[in-house]
């Protein structure tokens, strides 16, 4: 994945996170934890990953989704899946 | 003509979908726009938006549908807004039944609860014949389920049959609902609880029975209880604590203490987020729990309920894969190191 593609993907992911977490896009950091820092409960976290899976047509398994706890983790998962596609 | 499952991505919905597929059917899976559909996507089944608050989506979703399985009955997370919850539950079910009638649906299988089964005065096991003559008045959960089931029973425009599952344990309880006490013990948390009887059933058994009610080409009973084991809660938690090698649970709370704690915990959760250490719904289900006799499910639908051990082993295996139960009670490893567990 090229650098500008990766950057665009990060932007899109952050936009979805901002929409579902109600935290301003500019305030979201890669190291943020979905629950503790962005106030997302387990249901909202799953909805986020589900929304990303639909947006980017990613094949995500629940086991993998349940292990993701940070914004960084979300981005890594999405990139890994897109590269594998 | 196909089967539509409302609430297909939820706990019971996924078990029902799996049972329908195993029976050779390809159900259409009703979903809300914003919901977790990861498990449904991996099943490669057709999905359709069916929002219980938007009748036009229900009518569209029910086009060319012979049978609707309604596994999305309203279930408030907290019991603080009684009037609001009753209003939502009533409206949503009326929307489903109106859409089904307008779309030519022949049968609705409505998934209700053993909370609508009245206890017997002599303490013997209740059956489908034991209903409350009027609203139970135990608390929101019982009253809501009774109100909704009354609407379903009164439906005349199409056939409505009702499944009444007990406390379901099994895979896909991602929100940790009825399995909260099991997960709490397995995590080494001492869950506050009252004592009383719960009617345990494996969610996979419920899925199979609901699928049979949906696919049967002959008549099925109007109301079917689905519960395999009548268990006293506190001794059950003690045996779970032994299984997981954790300290035994504290003594059960009195009913009034448990209700007061649930109110305080729910109020805190409403204000600060998170989930209550104990919910009013769980308290009421335990305090007002009574033994039930689900032999009609065996006679009419060929139910073969799994043993408690089989249910627990399967749930444990799934919950570990989903990281709901840690490798070691009290702690688990994360990408950031070891984290202490506080509550489910």
């Amino acid at each position: 994945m090229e650098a500008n593609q990766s950057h665009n993907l990060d932007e899109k992911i952050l936009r979805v996170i901002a929409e579902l977490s109600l935290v301003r896009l500019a305030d979201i950091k890669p190291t943020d934890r979905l629950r503790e820092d962005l106030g997302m409960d387990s249901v909202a976290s799953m909805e986020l990953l589900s929304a990303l899976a639909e947006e980017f047509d990613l094949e995500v398994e629940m086991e993998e989704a349940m292990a993701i706890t940070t914004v960084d983790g979300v981005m890594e998962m999405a990139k890994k899946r897109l590269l594998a596609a | 003509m196909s089967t539509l499952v409302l609430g297909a991505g939820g706990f019971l919905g996924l078990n029902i979908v799996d049972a329908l597929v195993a029976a050779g059917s390809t159900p259409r899976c009703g979903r809300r726009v914003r919901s977790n559909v990861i498990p449904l996507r991996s099943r490669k089944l057709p999905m359709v938006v069916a929002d219980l608050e938007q009748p036009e989506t229900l009518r569209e979703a029910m086009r060319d549908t012979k049978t609707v399985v309604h596994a999305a009955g309203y279930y408030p997370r907290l019991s603080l807004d009684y009037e609001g919850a009753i209003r939502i539950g009533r409206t949503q079910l009326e929307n489903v039944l109106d859409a089904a009638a307008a779309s030519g649906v022949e049968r609705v299988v409505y998934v209700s609860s053993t909370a609508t089964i009245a206890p017997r005065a002599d303490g013997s096991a209740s059956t489908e014949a034991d209903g409350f003559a009027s609203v139970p008045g135990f608390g929101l959960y019982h009253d809501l389920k009774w109100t909704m089931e009354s609407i379903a029973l009164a439906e005349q425009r199409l056939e409505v049959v009702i499944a009444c599952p007990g406390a379901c344990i099994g895979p896909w309880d991602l929100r940790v609902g009825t399995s909260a006490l099991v997960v709490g013990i397995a995590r080494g948390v001492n869950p506050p609880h009252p004592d009383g009887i719960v009617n345990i059933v494996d969610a996979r058994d419920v899925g199979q029975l609901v699928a049979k009610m949906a696919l049967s080409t002959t008549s099925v009973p109007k109301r079917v209880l689905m519960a395999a084991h009548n268990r006293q809660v506190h001794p059950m938690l003690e045996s779970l604590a032994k299984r997981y090698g954790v300290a035994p649970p504290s003594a059960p709370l009195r009913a009034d203490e448990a209700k007061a704690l649930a109110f305080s915990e729910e109020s805190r959760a409403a204000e600060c987020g998170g989930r209550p250490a104990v919910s009013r719904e769980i308290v009421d289900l335990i305090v007002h729990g009574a033994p039930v006799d689900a032999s009609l499910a065996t006679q009419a639908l060929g139910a073969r309920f799994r043993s408690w051990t089989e249910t627990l082993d399967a749930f444990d295996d799934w919950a570990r894969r989903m990281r709901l139960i840690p490798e070691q009670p009290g702690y688990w490893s994360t990408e950031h190191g070891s984290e202490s567990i506080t509550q489910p």
Side-chain angles (χ1 to χ4, degrees), chain B residues 102-176:
Chain B
S103 306
V105 169
E106 292 175 19
R107 177 183 291 165
V108 169
V109 183
Y110 167 59
V111 181
S112 181
S113 162
T114 46
T116 61
I117 306 293
R120 289 186 175 176
D122 64 2
S124 63
S126 302
T127 70
E128 289 80 358
D130 297 292
F132 293 95
S134 59
V135 68
F138 295 155
L140 172 60
Y141 185 79
H142 284 79
D143 294 0
L144 175 63
K145 291 295 167 190
W146 181 87
T147 301
M148 291 167 71
E149 202 173 294
S150 300
I151 293 168
L153 285 168
E155 177 58 53
Q156 297 291 320
R157 294 168 292 179
L158 68 161
E159 182 189 16
V160 179
V161 292
I162 299 167
C164 294
C168 298
I169 303 287
W172 301 110
D173 190 6
L174 287 164
R175 295 186 181 209
V176 191

Side-chain angles (χ1 to χ4, degrees), chain B residues 22-265:
Chain B
S25 177
T26 304
R28 280 183 300 131
C29 300
R31 56 163 298 189
R32 284 176 291 118
V33 171
R34 185 175 154 178
S35 57
N36 174 14
V37 293
I38 292 173
L40 286 177
R41 280 173 60 83
S42 67
R43 284 164 171 78
K44 314 280 185 207
L45 291 167
M47 284 191 271
V48 57
V49 172
D51 189 325
L52 273 55
E53 299 282 351
Q54 296 180 327
E56 67 281 6
T57 67
L58 292 172
R59 286 192 296 274
E60 183 61 30
M62 289 179 194
R63 190 178 289 178
D64 295 328
T65 297
K66 182 178 175 187
T67 305
V68 171
V69 175
H70 180 11
Y74 186 54
Y75 184 138
R77 191 172 67 89
L78 305 173
S79 298
L80 300 172
D81 180 9
Y82 184 95
E83 299 298 334
I86 297 282
R87 188 174 58 249
I88 292 170
R90 175 184 285 277
T91 303
Q92 288 187 349
L93 182 54
E94 285 170 350
N95 285 345
V96 169
L97 295 174
D98 288 348
S103 306
V105 169
E106 292 175 19
R107 177 183 291 165
V108 169
V109 183
Y110 167 59
V111 181
S112 181
S113 162
T114 46
T116 61
I117 306 293
R120 289 186 175 176
D122 64 2
S124 63
S126 302
T127 70
E128 289 80 358
D130 297 292
F132 293 95
S134 59
V135 68
F138 295 155
L140 172 60
Y141 185 79
H142 284 79
D143 294 0
L144 175 63
K145 291 295 167 190
W146 181 87
T147 301
M148 291 167 71
E149 202 173 294
S150 300
I151 293 168
L153 285 168
E155 177 58 53
Q156 297 291 320
R157 294 168 292 179
L158 68 161
E159 182 189 16
V160 179
V161 292
I162 299 167
C164 294
C168 298
I169 303 287
W172 301 110
D173 190 6
L174 287 164
R175 295 186 181 209
V176 191
T178 45
S179 61
L181 290 173
V182 179
V183 171
I185 290 283
R187 287 183 173 192
V189 175
N190 189 355
H193 61 281
D195 205 5
I197 289 174
V198 286
N199 319 115
I200 305 277
V201 64
D202 192 306
R204 296 168 298 171
D205 291 336
V206 173
Q208 286 176 358
L209 292 170
V210 170
K212 283 185 182 177
M213 292 175 83
L215 298 176
S216 174
T217 51
T218 56
S219 70
V220 292
K222 184 74 178 167
R223 195 169 180 235
V224 183
L225 262 169
M226 299 173 184
H229 315 287
N230 298 308
R231 300 290 303 260
Q232 195 78 27
V233 167
H234 189 68
M236 182 179 76
L237 296 184
E238 287 179 321
S239 89
L240 283 170
K242 277 187 194 157
R243 175 188 172 117
Y244 286 105
V246 300
S250 300
L253 301 168
R254 292 194 319 267
D256 60 327
E257 289 174 332
K259 285 179 186 177
L261 178 63
F263 178 74
S264 132
E265 278 290 306

Side-chain angles (χ1 to χ4, degrees), chain A residues 13-56:
Chain A
I13 291 172
L14 288 173
R15 223 171 269 139
V16 177
I17 293 174
E19 192 184 317
L20 291 179
S21 68
L22 304 178
V23 174
R24 288 193 320 156
L25 183 65
D27 294 337
I28 299 172
K29 300 184 289 296
T31 52
D32 280 345
R33 294 166 298 175
L34 301 177
R35 276 199 194 196
E36 295 85 346
D37 301 321
L38 302 181
M40 302 178 83
D41 62 14
S42 58
V43 174
S45 308
M46 286 304 108
E47 286 176 358
L48 162 69
L49 292 161
S50 180
L52 290 170
E54 292 204 286
E55 170 90 20
F56 300 111

